[in-house]
Amino acid sequence: MNHIPIGLQLYSVREAMAQDFLGTLRQVADIGYTHVEFAFHNTSNDGSFEVGYTAQELKSNMEQMGLQVVTSHVSYHPNLDWDQVIRYHAELGSGGVVLPGYFFKDKDDALRLAEWLNASGKKCRAEGMDFYYHNHFHEFQAFDGQTIMDILLENTDPSHVLVEFDTYWAMRAGVDPIAYMDQLGNRLGLLHQKDLSASASPVNLFELEQVSGVLTPEVVFSTVKPEDFVEIGTGVMDIPGILKKAEELESVKYIILEQDVTTKSELESVRESYQNMMKLLK
């Protein structure tokens, strides 16, 4: 069986990268990672897309390290120059761009975002890149009896908008990740994988009293504790089953490891996850 390539979401080492961007990339490469996904979340502040390196400079440095960019998370902002984002990633040699989440007041919000996703995905496709939506748990909230995820999938073009499925966050919504992977089928292009602590309670965050009504970022991210996130292979998620299903679907291009938060140092955490994932793939 040919295993799907493993990558790292660099949000996992954001504090280290803020101190030493290129040095942290070298340390990631030294661990053994060959594929990475950037996290350009600062665009949500005012819509400015500023990296600090030209695409050619960053690409050259990464090539010297043996690193390849898979995709980047680029946060939504109404003033974001999407054409600039696409040009940068095309020059960087990226395989695509990911919208790393959105927060919804009602069904109309979801329908409006679906229109934006279609338009943005069409622009990416014109440049030979894929475009993805990445879920957290709140997209499984229902509006008028239909989950946000289903609204987005139903109202976006499968040829322009794919899904980067975060199995951890789906599980925190009370969703069976493997069953949902089947439901996504060939719309599942990328997989985000982390692990859930056995002590996390409740697993389904919708059971919490404060998780109702409009789920703002403050509500969503106040529901989880650092100790709920553990390194790959040390928690309760059925990662072997998820890997098996990803292989079966044949649409998954990369499995990207991510550690939203950790009780360890960032680089120690991503090293442990990488080593444990390599053992699972043997």
Side-chain angles (χ1 to χ4, degrees), residues 208-235:
L208 295 173
E209 185 177 346
Q210 71 264 37
V211 181
S212 62
V214 177
L215 299 183
T216 63
E218 292 74 22
V219 171
V220 168
F221 296 121
S222 69
T223 58
V224 290
K225 304 181 289 292
E227 56 268 27
D228 290 348
F229 298 87
V230 293
E231 284 65 34
I232 295 290
T234 65

Side-chain angles (χ1 to χ4, degrees), residues 130-254:
D130 293 322
F131 181 68
Y132 302 85
Y133 184 82
H134 172 279
N135 66 283
H136 289 79
F137 82 85
H138 65 281
E139 289 93 349
F140 294 94
Q141 180 184 31
F143 291 140
D144 300 332
Q146 191 176 24
T147 69
I148 293 169
M149 279 298 290
D150 285 346
I151 294 169
L152 295 179
L153 290 168
E154 184 179 294
N155 291 279
T156 51
D157 185 339
S159 64
H160 293 152
V161 183
L162 301 173
V163 175
E164 179 178 69
F165 183 51
D166 192 306
T167 59
Y168 174 97
W169 283 115
M171 192 169 176
R172 300 310 304 266
V175 172
D176 178 341
I178 295 174
Y180 201 78
M181 289 170 70
D182 263 329
Q183 184 176 331
L184 288 171
N186 61 13
R187 298 226 29 198
L188 174 53
L190 298 173
L191 201 67
H192 258 211
Q193 190 60 54
K194 48 200 114 184
D195 213 342
L196 175 68
S197 170
S199 66
S201 180
V203 171
N204 182 354
L205 294 170
F206 284 112
E207 294 175 13
L208 295 173
E209 185 177 346
Q210 71 264 37
V211 181
S212 62
V214 177
L215 299 183
T216 63
E218 292 74 22
V219 171
V220 168
F221 296 121
S222 69
T223 58
V224 290
K225 304 181 289 292
E227 56 268 27
D228 290 348
F229 298 87
V230 293
E231 284 65 34
I232 295 290
T234 65
V236 298
M237 294 194 72
D238 181 11
I239 296 175
I242 291 168
L243 295 175
K244 183 174 182 291
K245 178 56 64 176
E247 296 281 358
E248 289 174 3
L249 289 174
E250 298 185 346
S251 61
V252 180
K253 295 182 177 181
Y254 296 93

Side-chain angles (χ1 to χ4, degrees), residues 28-42:
V28 165
D30 289 343
I31 288 170
Y33 289 100
T34 54
H35 297 84
V36 295
E37 180 178 63
F38 284 102
F40 298 132
H41 293 169
N42 58 341

